[in-house]
């Protein structure tokens, strides 16, 4: 048995099963097509289930997959068949909540793609090479957003420079759209 | 013209799904990446471009070597920027690009600077990046910083260093092992995750040192672990320690109290980990199980699907070995049948099928029927298999269970699902005589409308064997003959063969069968016509009703007792000529022999870096080797060579294993020796064998090994005489004797003077199994019938308490050294009885067949009925003798 809990992959897909961001930590899927086949299989298997209030779980091909959906975002965490299911779901919950914090409650595909940099950093902070790095959503989000963590705070509490930076950011985003 | 244009615009408006990466293209992004080279860096813009690059990689796009190098070099320029957000993206980008060794050098200094930075976030990330891309040489340079980082005040930095250590241990273990003191300090950290990472690394560093792991576990289980994840690790290490110490200690299990204490932990993951660990203990007792089952039962009614799944999956496993322990959960389990999550529902059902008693079967079947329609095929297969074992457990319930199977057989389903059902029905027919007639009729109805050729032919074949033995064989004829009308050629041919079998076995049906077969002569497929002609001729279809001869039956029902591979080879080599192909010329045993031999080296533990290569291990090679030695040349034909038996522990100075060569009147021990000390040369190596515990053996020859240099295996032989044709057994103690010469490692030259020395080897036994060749038969039942009961010997034995049925079965197979047939060496989980079929050739070339019937008698006691058939009464007795004395 694998002695140290290990994560095989973390997937964030949209409501059609397309990738928003994925990260594989195992060589079980050596090629991109193998990865896509796995994502397709996971997506079709879980698509019809209701994983919105509580994380759901399924098992196939000797993998345990825990998953949770919000709006058009589907979060998955995969582990080996001997893995402690509750550890996997803790990782899922950590990632899920951290993304929620980072997207400030607007969890949908557009917002996720707009802030893809944050999502990628978030993945980077959750698991490192299959080893669980952090499971506390606040800590994860804090690490990702340490440089502008308080940008969401009321303007009065921000310094002038910060406020300017935020304003510039909002402007750039609206221009980009 | 205008119309479609407008429509197109409409479409675009409908597309609410606007993506910032819409229409993104690799070439353009690579162009954009030039902004990294600007003298005035715009951090925000650079971040965006990196995000785009990462997006492309994430979507499965690949960069060519040149593109990757180009991107890498320009990304390294971004270290000039002080923007924290950008730096984070640079770190991720470098990891994704996984640069080559010569590229790594470019960023090393920047990363090392970050590693010693005052900003925690820089330190943590730089460590992770650098350790990911570095190689051994660079590692020694940064080792000092890493050791510091492990005990860093900031938990993120410490975790980064520890996790990197876990990864580096795979590639540079000798370096990471030097950090043991720092890691040990980190285990005491107050930060939860640091403790978890430190414990994982510490255990990996020490995993090969059983004593150290033991000490680690005993000190930590006294309670200083705060993090739930670390606690889970500790539970895993603890059960490993328990597993490894299980054989040495009796009485109370060490550390069980710790596991039980963890059941009261506040974190669910720890509770579950502990409960699972307890259920997986070797030979767990009911008393030990109870508290674990209780917490799992609570999980069953949790609102969280993950918890319910984890609990029911674990209980399902427990039910295989301790069905009674799980029955308390049956009520909770039954409510899970309607669980939204179908995985949970399936697991609940199969658990119930394992734990249910005879009276609950009917109720259960009703619930399952509703459930079957809305689950996927793979779940259905699991249920079918569970129902099959339930039916074997409660044969009286075969009617309702068989009905269930035939109902689901009629419903929609894929090949694997249908095959699972058909297989189950076949097994039930075979094992439960009362179920035979209904079962066969269900199968007949199924082939009326079966889309799978493979299943139709299998069923037709099975019908041909079982159908004629029923009370009214004629009722099957219609179903079979319908196939000749309605199916494809393969099925038609199978149906013709089946008809012929009915004709051969049931004389009253013969005239009608002939009529049907004659119609088949006009089939448009030549295989079907050929078969019909052949059968008409062999059965004497010229109108005369005659008793079918034994030869014909043998032809129709007999198995091809020739390995198909051999037949294929012989047919390939056959050149069409006047002389027709003679099936008797096909070699029978060579291939199976090689297979058995091939398995042997796999089992051999490879204690050394280079396993003792020894001579090639096929029988041919052994035979050649032995006949080339004049002392052994007159021993006659080699009967059997055993698999190598290790006479030394792994990782000792000298590795020795022995192969036992059995001849009619002699036994030769071939000692394969390997010298694992580079500073030594061994000369004149012999094995001194003490045969005082093997009275029937007398040493006749010994062939020493002249020289045994470091790491190049050599052989020495000792030969014994024994009574001819008698399976003499005995114990031999061995002593390796040799002359040691020191070797100068720098020049490789040995000194002139040597010292005589001895080295004690483990004992070696010649056992009865050494006199039996593993030779399989393809159809055991036929072989058994044709052997006849003339020399049959049957007796019953009590095997006493055993760990499991499977363990008892394997023990008897090993004892007899015979070839298990038809996969009967595999004992299905949870079964209370098992039949195992063995075949072999006894010394003197006597064929032996064995039928073993095992049953559980009481909780652990195994009883066995042994039936032996052979061509010689004495041999049948000898087999019983082996079992009785073994």
């Amino acid at each position: 048995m694998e002695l140290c809990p290990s994560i095989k992959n973390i997937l964030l897909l949209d409501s059609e099963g397309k990738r928003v961001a994925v990260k594989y930590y195992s060589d079980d899927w050596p090629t991109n097509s193998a990865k896509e086949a796995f994502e397709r299989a996971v997506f079709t298997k879980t698509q019809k289930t209701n994983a919105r209030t509580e994380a759901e779980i399924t098992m196939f091909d000797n993998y345990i997959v825990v998953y949770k959906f919000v709006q058009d975002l589907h979060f998955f965490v995969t582990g080996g068949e001997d893995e402690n299911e509750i550890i996997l779901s803790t990782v899922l919950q950590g990632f899920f909540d951290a993304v929620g914090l980072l997207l400030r409650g607007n969890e949908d595909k557009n917002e996720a793609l707009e802030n893809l940099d944050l999502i990628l950093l978030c993945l980077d902070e959750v698991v490192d090479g299959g080893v669980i790095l952090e499971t506390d959503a606040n800590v994860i989000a804090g690490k990702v957003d340490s440089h502008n963590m308080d940008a969401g705070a009321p303007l009065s509490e921000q310094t002038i420079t910060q406020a300017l930076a935020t304003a510039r950011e909002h402007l750039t985003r609206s221009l980009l759209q | 013209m205008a119309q479609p244009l407008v429509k197109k615009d409409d479409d675009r408006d409908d597309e609410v799904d606007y993506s910032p990466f819409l229409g993104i293209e690799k070439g353009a992004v690579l162009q954009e990446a030039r902004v990294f080279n600007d003298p005035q860096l715009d951090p925000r813009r650079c971040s965006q471009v990196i995000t785009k690059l990462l997006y492309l990689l994430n979507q499965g796009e690949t960069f060519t070597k040149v593109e990757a190098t180009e991107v890498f070099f320009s990304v390294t320029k971004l270290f000039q920027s002080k923007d924290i957000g950008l730096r984070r993206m640079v770190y991720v980008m470098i990891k994704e690009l996984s640069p080559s060794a010569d590229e790594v050098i470019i960023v090393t200094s920047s990363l090392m600077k970050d590693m010693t930075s005052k900003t925690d976030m820089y330190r943590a990330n730089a460590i992770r990046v650098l350790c990911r891309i570095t190689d051994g040489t660079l590692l020694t340079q940064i080792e000092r910083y890493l050791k510091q980082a492990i005990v860093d005040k900031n938990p993120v930095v410490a975790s980064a260093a520890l996790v990197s250590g876990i990864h580096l241990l795979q590639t540079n273990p000798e370096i990471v092992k030097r950090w043991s003191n720092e890691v040990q300090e980190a285990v005491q950290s107050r930060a939860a995750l640091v403790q978890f990472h430190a414990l994982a690394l510490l255990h990996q560093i020490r995993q090969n040192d059983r004593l150290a792991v033991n000490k680690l576990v005993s000190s930590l289980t006294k309670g200083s672990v705060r993090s739930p994840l670390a606690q889970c690790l500790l539970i895993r290490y603890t059960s490993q320690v328990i597993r490894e110490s299980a054989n040495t200690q009796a009485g109370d299990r060490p550390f069980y109290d710790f596991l039980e204490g963890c059941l009261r932990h506040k974190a669910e993951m720890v509770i579950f980990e502990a409960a699972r660990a307890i259920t997986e203990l070797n030979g767990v007792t009911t008393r030990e199980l109870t508290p674990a089952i209780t917490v799992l039962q609570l999980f069953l009614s949790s609102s969280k699907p993950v918890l319910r799944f984890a609990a029911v999956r674990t209980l399902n496993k427990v039910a295989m070995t301790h069905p009674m322990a799980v029955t308390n959960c049956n009520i909770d389990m039954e409510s899970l049948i309607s669980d939204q999550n179908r995985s949970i529902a399936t697991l609940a059902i199969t658990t119930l099928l394992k734990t249910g008693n005879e009276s609950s079967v009917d109720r259960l079947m009703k619930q399952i029927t509703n459930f079957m329609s809305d689950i996927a095929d793979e779940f259905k297969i699991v249920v079918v298999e569970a129902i099959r074992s339930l039916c074997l457990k409660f044969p009286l319930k075969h009617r309702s269970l068989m009905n269930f199977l035939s109902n689901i057989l009629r419903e929609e389903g894929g090949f694997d699902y249908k095959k699972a059902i058909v297989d189950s029905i076949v097994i039930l027919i075979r094992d439960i005589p009362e179920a035979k007639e209904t079962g066969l009729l269900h199968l007949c109805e199924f082939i009326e409308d079966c889309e799978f050729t493979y299943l139709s032919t299998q069923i037709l074949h099975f019908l041909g064997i079982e159908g004629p033995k029923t009370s009214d064989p004629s009722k099957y004829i219609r179903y079979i003959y319908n196939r000749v009308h309605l199916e494809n050629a393969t099925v038609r041919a199978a149906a013709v063969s089946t008809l012929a079998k009915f004709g051969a076995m049931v004389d009253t049906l013969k005239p009608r069968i002939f009529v049907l077969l004659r119609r088949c002569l006009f089939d448009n497929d030549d295989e079907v016509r050929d078969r019909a002609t052949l059968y008409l001729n062999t059965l004497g279809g010229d109108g005369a009703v005659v008793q079918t001869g034994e030869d014909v039956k043998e032809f129709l029902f007999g198995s091809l007792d020739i390995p198909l591979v051999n037949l294929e080879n012989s047919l390939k080599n056959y050149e069409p000529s006047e002389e027709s192909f003679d099936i008797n010329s096909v070699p029978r045993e060579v291939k199976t022999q090689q297979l058995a031999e091939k398995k042997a080296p796999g089992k051999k533990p490879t204690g050394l870096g280079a396993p003792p290569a020894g001579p090639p291990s096929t029988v041919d090679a052994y035979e050649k080797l032995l006949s080339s030695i004049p002392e052994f040349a007159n021993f006659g034909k080699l009967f059997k060579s055993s698999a190598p038996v290790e006479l030394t522990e792994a990782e000792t100075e000298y590795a020795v294993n022995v192969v036992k060569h059995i001849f009619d009147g002699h036994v030769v021990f071939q000692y394969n020796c390997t010298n694992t000390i580079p500073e030594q040369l061994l000369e004149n190596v012999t094995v001194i064998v003490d045969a005082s515990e093997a009275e029937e053996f007398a040493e006749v020859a010994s062939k020493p090994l002249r020289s045994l240099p470091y790491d190049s295996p050599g052989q020495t032989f000792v030969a014994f005489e024994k009574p001819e044709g008698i399976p003499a057994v005995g114990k031999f103690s061995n002593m390796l004797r040799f002359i040691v010469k020191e070797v100068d490692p720098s020049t490789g030259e040995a000194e002139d003077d040597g010292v005589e020395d001895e080295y004690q080897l483990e004992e070696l036994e010649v056992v009865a199994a050494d006199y039996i060749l593993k030779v399989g038969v393809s159809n055991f039942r036929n072989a058994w019938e044709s052997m006849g009961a003339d020399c049959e010997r049957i007796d019953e034995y009590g095997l006493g308490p055993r760990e499991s049925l499977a363990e008892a079965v394997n023990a008897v197979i090993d004892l007899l050294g015979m070839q298990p047939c038809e996969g009967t060496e595999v004992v299905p989980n949870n079964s209370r009885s098992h039949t195992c079929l063995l075949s072999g050739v006894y010394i003197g070339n006597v064929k032996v067949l064995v039928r073993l019937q095992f049953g559980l008698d009481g909780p652990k006691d195994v009883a066995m009925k042994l039936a032996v058939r052979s061509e010689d009464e004495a041999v049948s007795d000898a087999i019983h003798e082996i079992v009785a004395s073994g």
Side-chain angles (χ1 to χ4, degrees), chain B residues 511-559:
Chain B
R512 288 151 70 189
I513 296 284
F514 286 150
V515 174
L516 297 177
L517 284 180
R518 268 191 216 104
R519 286 189 200 156
C520 300
L521 292 174
F522 304 103
D523 197 282
N524 56 18
D525 182 80
D526 50 358
E527 171 75 19
V528 181
R529 286 195 309 272
D530 285 357
R531 284 199 191 194
T533 316
L534 175 68
Y535 292 132
L536 276 171
N537 284 330
T538 44
L539 293 174
D542 42 11
V545 178
V546 286
Q547 186 78 29
T548 314
E550 274 307 309
D551 293 351
V552 176
K553 279 191 188 157
E554 173 63 29
F555 170 70
L556 274 173
F557 293 96
S559 71

Side-chain angles (χ1 to χ4, degrees), chain B residues 30-44:
Chain B
L30 288 173
Q31 287 283 325
E32 275 187 76
R34 294 194 177 154
V35 298
F36 300 164
N37 298 323
D38 281 357
Q40 282 296 312
L41 282 175
D42 174 357
R44 171 143 282 279

Side-chain angles (χ1 to χ4, degrees), chain B residues 81-96:
Chain B
S81 166
K82 294 271 175 284
D83 186 275
I84 298 186
L86 177 59
R87 184 67 59 89
R88 296 294 308 275
M89 296 309 282
V90 170
Y91 292 140
V92 175
M93 192 68 214
I94 293 176
K95 278 197 269 188
E96 284 296 324

Side-chain angles (χ1 to χ4, degrees), chain B residues 208-412:
Chain B
N208 292 324
D209 182 351
R210 203 188 280 185
L211 208 67
V213 172
N214 230 318
K215 251 167 75 184
L216 180 71
V217 166
S218 14
S219 74
L220 287 176
T221 47
K222 296 203 179 78
S224 55
V225 176
R226 273 173 297 270
S227 138
L229 277 170
Q231 190 81 353
C232 286
L233 280 183
L234 187 54
I235 290 171
R236 292 185 188 184
Y237 303 156
T238 306
S239 20
Q240 192 190 26
V241 169
I242 295 178
R243 218 173 12 252
E244 280 163 2
S245 64
N247 303 329
T248 55
Q249 274 168 311
D252 263 4
R253 213 187 281 272
F255 299 119
Y256 173 78
D257 291 341
F258 165 72
L259 292 182
E260 204 203 333
C262 288
L263 294 175
R264 293 183 292 275
H265 198 274
K266 56 185 186 305
E268 278 158 350
M269 70 166 83
V270 176
I271 301 176
F272 174 67
E273 188 73 47
R276 192 170 68 160
I278 291 177
T279 63
E280 284 170 1
L281 289 175
N282 277 334
V284 63
T285 63
T286 318
R287 198 173 55 84
E288 288 169 324
L289 262 181
T290 311
I293 303 284
T294 312
V295 298
L296 291 175
Q297 188 176 1
L298 285 176
F299 280 7
L300 285 182
S301 45
S302 159
S303 64
K304 294 182 190 160
V306 174
L307 253 61
R308 296 199 299 272
F309 178 89
V312 76
R313 189 159 79 109
T314 310
L315 289 170
N316 187 295
K317 278 195 204 130
V318 177
M320 290 178 189
T321 47
H322 296 80
M324 293 315 289
V326 185
T327 43
N328 278 340
C329 310
N330 276 3
I331 297 185
D332 306 81
M333 208 75 90
E334 275 184 40
S335 58
L336 289 184
I337 295 182
S338 52
D339 200 296
Q340 287 285 317
N341 185 319
R342 300 331 268 166
S343 305
I344 296 177
T346 312
L347 284 166
I349 283 195
T350 48
T351 314
L352 283 168
L353 289 174
K354 282 172 200 146
T355 59
N357 49 23
E358 198 150 1
S359 57
S360 65
V361 167
D362 291 316
R363 190 163 47 95
L364 211 51
M365 296 317 291
K366 207 175 265 166
Q367 277 174 302
I368 295 176
T369 317
N370 299 331
F371 160 85
M372 283 304 264
S373 53
D374 52 39
I375 54 171
D377 268 13
E378 50 184 295
F379 291 140
K380 290 182 184 169
I381 294 175
V382 178
V383 175
V384 166
E385 276 161 7
I387 286 179
R388 175 174 73 206
S389 37
L390 184 72
C391 193
L392 291 174
K393 196 161 108 191
F394 304 123
L396 285 178
K397 286 286 165 197
H398 72 84
R399 206 173 304 275
S400 66
L401 293 170
M402 191 66 105
N403 256 331
F404 176 82
L405 288 177
S406 74
N407 281 337
I408 56 173
L409 192 54
R410 266 182 245 128
E411 276 157 24
E412 286 291 299

Side-chain angles (χ1 to χ4, degrees), chain B residues 464-515:
Chain B
I465 294 171
E466 296 293 337
K469 296 185 208 153
T470 55
S471 58
D472 181 13
S474 64
K475 65 182 171 196
Y476 303 105
I477 301 294
R478 180 173 62 88
Y479 295 103
I480 300 164
Y481 188 63
N482 278 348
R483 305 279 69 70
V484 179
H485 282 303
L486 303 168
E487 300 280 355
N488 61 44
T490 315
V491 179
R492 290 203 303 275
V496 166
S497 298
T498 308
L499 284 175
K501 284 177 188 162
F502 274 81
M505 293 298 283
V506 190
D507 288 330
T508 50
L509 284 178
K510 207 170 257 183
R512 288 151 70 189
I513 296 284
F514 286 150
V515 174

Side-chain angles (χ1 to χ4, degrees), chain A residues 23 56 110 124-125 132, chain B residues 18 88 96 128 197 341:
Chain A
K23 187 78 192 160
E56 276 288 346
N110 281 341
D124 187 54
E125 292 293 352
I132 300 165
Chain B
Y18 168 75
R88 296 294 308 275
E96 284 296 324
R128 283 171 57 201
H197 295 134
N341 185 319

Side-chain angles (χ1 to χ4, degrees), chain A residues 29 47 64 72 97 132 147-148 170:
Chain A
W29 304 274
Q47 185 180 17
I64 303 268
D72 53 358
D97 291 344
I132 300 165
H147 56 298
N148 56 355
H170 281 289

